[in-house]
Amino acid sequence: MFSLGIVGAGQFAGSFAHLWRLHPGVGDIFVTDLLADRAAKLVADHDLAGTVASFEEMLDSDVDAVAVFTQRWTHGPLVEQALRAGKHVYSSVPMAITEQEIAAIIAAVEDTGLVYMMGETSHYHPATVYARAQVEAGAFGRLFYAEGDYVHDMDWGFYDAYRYSGGENWKSTASYPPLLYPTHSIGGVLGAWQTHAVSVSAIGVVDQRGDGVFDREISQFDNDFSNATGLFEVAGGGSFRTNEFRRVGYIGKESRFRFFGTEAVFEQLDSVSLWQDKSGRRDITEQLEPAPTLSPDDPSLAHLAPELRGAFASGTAPIHDRSRLPREFEHAANGHEGSHHFLADDFVTAVTTGALPPVNAWTAARYTLPGIIAHQSALQGGVRLPIPDHGGGPA
């Protein structure tokens, strides 16, 4: 059993505080946040051990691990600092926002031997789980192309989320470049296809809303792209395409995937999923459909924008193997296509056994770094750029 410190008591942290509080492998849980009242509320809501005044004080404490739920552009430096302080780390996505930050995290993991895990939900997405099994069985033949979308309109709850986290200057952070949040689309593709991206050409679409979001004069990131598409070459031959859309007339599944092989094709749309090979077509929608664990109107979700509550109410799908999960999770709220239970448990398993988690530092780099290079390509009008690779990690 190990102790855990939660860093950042925002809208996402509560789901995992609840699960780790239930998990038999986790002991005391402490919380720190720049806003002390948010930390105190998280502790009270989930009967946690207490608050800590600052991140630095938490690193100086005897907690064994930290879970970072801060704003997406802050993860890299905080994670490296925590690893160097001797803490195992769970980090929400993305891993980091620069090549240098990613390299620093990998170096810290190599130097310390500590656990790093990135909490990428798409690795556990029902479509990814299904495709991964088909890849392992050789059912696709040779995979040569795939597609991954993360399509989430700003009007669909993101304005409220950025106001919640960004304060008075929320518009400057709401302009976060879509391709620097690439793991929901890339992770769903590479979580099934055992390869990595080696080059990319990307196109960004300049926003025309005119409301101060995605305005380069206001943007903290000097960004005016609200939508972007990347075409990636993969090692061993083949390609995949991802879409990162923040202005789109769509409110369905925010992540969805397609895989094309020489012997079979798997396609997921919003309301139907199909497997097709040379013998015919099979509807597999029911295998991939998560059953809700909460009503979107449940009081525990009241702090979220109404449009975001459904993502925190979804449970596992029939394709998920729940047999390895702790029994304490059986009736616990889940979220994001059933991923929360597996994310929480895989981190505990890695810390307590020393095994590499599925989305370890090297895998996280392969899910994150291609988006960083893709954004550079988009800024240069789509020029094709090589993508560095840090390898697949220890044998």
Side-chain angles (χ1 to χ4, degrees), residues 53-75:
S54 69
F55 177 62
E56 290 72 22
E57 186 174 320
M58 182 171 283
L59 296 189
D60 287 338
S61 75
D62 60 0
V63 298
D64 301 302
V66 298
V68 177
F69 291 103
T70 57
Q71 291 170 305
R72 57 193 68 179
W73 56 92
T74 65
H75 299 163

Side-chain angles (χ1 to χ4, degrees), residues 89-106:
V89 176
Y90 177 98
S91 174
S92 51
V93 298
M95 183 182 194
I97 63 169
T98 71
E99 296 179 64
Q100 294 75 21
E101 290 175 355
I102 287 175
I105 291 172
I106 290 175

Side-chain angles (χ1 to χ4, degrees), residues 32 49 68 88 100 102 104 109 129 131 140 153 173 181 222 233 266 285 294 322 354 377:
T32 189
V68 177
H88 302 291
Q100 294 75 21
I102 287 175
V109 172
V129 173
F140 282 107
D153 189 85
T173 60
Y181 196 70
D222 191 31
E233 176 192 12
F266 164 48
T285 306
L294 283 177
R322 294 190 55 87
S377 170

